[in-house]
Amino acid sequence: MRTGWFEDVKNPVAGLAVAAAVAVVAALVAVFFVAPREATLGISQKIFYFHVASAIHMMVLFALCGLCGLAYLGMRGRPGRWTAVVDGLGVAAAEVGVVLGAVVLVTGPLWARKAWGTWWTWEPRLTLSLMVFLLFLAYLALRAFAGSDRFGRGVASGLAVVGLPALYFIHFAVERWGGAHPQVVFKGGLQNPDMQVAFYASLLAMSLVSATLVVLRLRIERLKGRLDALYLALDRRSPGA
Amino acid sequence: MRTLGQFVAVLRKDLTIEFRSRDILYPMALFSFLLVVVFSFAFLSDPAKARDYGPGIVWVTVLFSSTVGLNRLFDRERENGCLWALLLGPVPAGAVFAAKVVGHLLFTGLMEALTLPLVLLFFDLPVVDVPAFLAAVALGTVGVSLVGTLFSAMLMNARMKEVLLPLVTYPVLVPVVIAGVKVTALAVGAPLAEEPGPWLRFLAGFDMVFGVVTLLLFERMVRT
């Protein structure tokens, strides 16, 4: 059987992983040794670099998951290589997204406790992150319990697609609901150039880490598909065995 | 025109079965009634504070009770593969979906007509702005029915569908609850510096967007 890049088990994902590792070390150096200590918040401000990078990537992965769902339904789930790629990418994005969402929801309150004096407020962006996290969890619950056949995949894809407009409405509602919140802290952006270096370094590191995880997860999904196909072929060759 | 006739036929079929068996309406109404009773014991009866939690109880009741109906909505179609037979016929999937949504809407509306007056009565909530309250309930229920019917149909054959359905629909329906609670609070005279108008438009927008999205998705998902 001829295998393409996608099926190949010895796919050079190692290069991506090494790049991610280097970027993470570089980002840590930039965050802790290049960027200055923030005047009022002190060392606790450094959590911002990880928090925001995770949040941005969580949103990107959610959008990716939604687009994959749309593409999957667009292809009507017909068995084929691209359907498998799109479907696997959707799961991979959702699973990595849940991990990043957990990072966001743990680092956020830690920072908020220091900066705002409270662990949790129903601030629009906080609430939106929580809802993205919940939608991701529902998507994975569907994948886990509604069956991994075409039917289960279709339902999960449908949820991912519905999630996109839903998030828009959630964001809008929460923003109006909370009224005017004065604590939008980083509205003015980062003024200090060293802080900007640290921020972009952690953004890049998070991109590479997310990409590595998504690619690895995608390959697991693909190998699963191949294993299933092999079992089927085995069954066909030796019936009753 | 033909599609409209097919829509009416499916809807009439569902209504006929329902009014002979009452196996959606009865559990839904009873459940919502019990829910209201439990809620009245769950909160200390302080008439002055009823305005704070009353609107929330209205919407939790709507959401939970409509889920009971949604869980049963496609049960009849599951037996003997009725839904697939229905969709195999020369009927657009959209007509079947619309009929199911309107059916659920009617059942939920009946349940609300029985239960929501009880909420207002038990919690002594005087509705000052009746049109806004009714509009919020109507628009909110449409949103719940649209999203709920889509996933109810999709999860029809799933294991643990009773658990999965709320897991999937509640995050999507959060905006409906937010807007509904706001309008209801305003309608019972909560001192908020807001108008119900923008929230009602928000609910109407939600219904329109999800009306289109769910209709298109239903067609796609049943044929996937």
Side-chain angles (χ1 to χ4, degrees):
Chain A
M1 189 175 11
R2 205 187 139 269
T3 54
W5 62 271
F6 184 56
E7 284 90 348
D8 191 359
V9 184
K10 295 195 212 88
N11 208 0
V13 75
L16 198 56
V18 169
V22 172
V24 166
V25 173
L28 284 172
V29 170
V31 166
F32 286 103
F33 298 108
V34 177
R37 266 173 87 129
E38 217 266 347
T40 47
L41 291 167
I43 193 109
S44 76
Q45 184 263 344
K46 301 219 182 276
I47 209 167
F48 157 88
Y49 300 109
F50 305 101
H51 176 73
V52 176
S54 307
I56 289 173
H57 284 92
M58 175 182 73
M59 293 295 177
V60 169
L61 286 175
F62 190 80
L64 181 66
C65 184
L67 290 178
C68 285
L70 205 59
Y72 182 82
L73 291 175
M75 297 177 206
R76 295 187 179 268
R78 274 189 294 263
R81 176 182 289 188
W82 284 109
T83 313
V85 172
V86 156
D87 182 61
L89 198 57
V91 190
E95 283 192 5
V96 179
V98 164
V99 174
L100 291 180
V103 172
V104 171
L105 292 175
V106 170
T107 54
L110 283 179
W111 181 81
R113 178 75 187 146
K114 274 291 194 191
W116 298 342
T118 172
W119 294 106
W120 185 266
T121 69
W122 291 96
E123 198 260 344
R125 257 186 257 177
L126 239 69
T127 313
L128 193 69
S129 308
L130 179 66
M131 296 315 295
V132 172
F133 188 65
L134 286 177
L135 277 169
F136 265 141
L137 286 182
Y139 176 89
L140 291 180
L142 277 182
R143 300 289 307 214
F145 299 119
S148 55
D149 52 351
R150 269 173 78 159
F151 168 75
R153 290 172 182 178
V155 183
S157 301
L159 176 66
V161 174
V162 168
L164 292 177
L167 274 188
Y168 174 76
F169 277 98
I170 291 169
H171 184 62
F172 189 86
V174 171
E175 213 153 52
R176 278 196 62 97
W177 180 48
H181 264 265
Q183 322 106 308
V184 182
V185 175
F186 290 102
K187 194 113 192 173
L190 292 169
Q191 303 298 344
N192 187 309
D194 285 340
M195 280 186 177
Q196 284 180 1
V197 167
F199 176 64
Y200 288 117
S202 42
L203 210 56
L204 178 70
M206 199 59 89
S207 286
L208 288 170
V209 170
S210 310
T212 311
L213 291 177
V214 167
V215 171
L216 281 175
R217 183 66 185 83
L218 183 60
R219 279 179 62 218
I220 292 175
E221 198 65 17
R222 192 52 190 158
L223 290 175
K224 258 195 214 159
R226 262 183 79 193
L227 194 62
D228 285 348
L230 287 175
Y231 272 126
L232 272 177
L234 198 66
D235 262 3
R236 230 172 284 140
R237 202 169 292 173
S238 53
Chain B
M1 254 320 63
R2 231 186 110 202
T3 312
L4 191 68
Q6 288 161 337
F7 160 78
V8 172
V10 176
L11 181 62
R12 193 193 289 155
K13 167 194 84 78
D14 276 353
L15 291 183
T16 310
I17 298 174
E18 180 54 36
F19 286 115
R20 283 181 192 161
S21 67
R22 292 186 198 86
D23 59 359
I24 293 179
L25 207 50
Y26 185 66
M28 196 152 75
L30 193 60
F31 179 76
S32 66
F33 178 63
L34 281 171
L35 209 54
V36 176
V37 172
V38 170
F39 273 137
S40 13
F41 292 125
F43 295 95
L44 296 172
S45 52
D46 179 359
K49 294 241 176 72
R51 260 195 219 147
D52 291 347
Y53 51 74
I57 289 168
V58 167
W59 284 92
V60 172
T61 307
V62 168
L63 202 60
F64 284 8
S65 309
S66 66
T67 309
V68 172
L70 286 172
N71 273 326
R72 314 272 296 120
L73 194 60
F74 282 90
D75 271 5
R76 282 194 286 269
E77 311 294 349
R78 189 183 51 199
E79 285 154 27
N80 306 323
C82 287
L83 184 65
W84 308 122
L86 205 58
L87 291 167
L88 275 175
V91 185
V96 175
F97 180 69
K100 285 288 176 187
V101 171
V102 172
H104 180 256
L105 204 54
L106 288 175
F107 304 146
T108 313
L110 273 174
M111 176 273 292
E112 286 167 350
L114 291 169
T115 307
L116 294 189
L118 276 179
V119 179
L120 302 176
L121 194 83
F122 282 177
F123 290 92
D124 198 18
L125 288 167
V127 181
V128 190
D129 193 349
V130 177
F133 177 68
L134 291 179
V137 170
L139 289 171
T141 310
V142 171
V144 172
S145 290
L146 283 170
V147 176
T149 306
L150 177 72
F151 286 106
S152 174
M154 293 305 105
L155 292 172
M156 191 173 70
N157 291 309
R159 213 154 44 88
M160 316 197 333
K161 70 178 164 99
E162 285 84 1
V163 184
L164 285 175
L165 189 65
L167 267 182
V168 170
T169 48
Y170 289 178
V172 179
L173 290 173
V174 159
V176 172
V177 174
I178 292 176
V181 167
K182 273 283 177 176
V183 179
T184 311
L186 290 166
V188 297
L192 297 168
E194 278 185 282
E195 289 292 313
W199 284 112
L200 289 174
R201 279 200 293 279
F202 173 81
L203 277 174
F206 183 95
D207 291 350
M208 272 192 276
V209 169
F210 278 90
V212 175
V213 170
T214 51
L215 199 64
L216 291 176
L217 270 181
F218 182 80
E219 200 273 331
R220 275 284 160 175
M221 283 162 80
V222 294
R223 307 247 190 252
T224 290

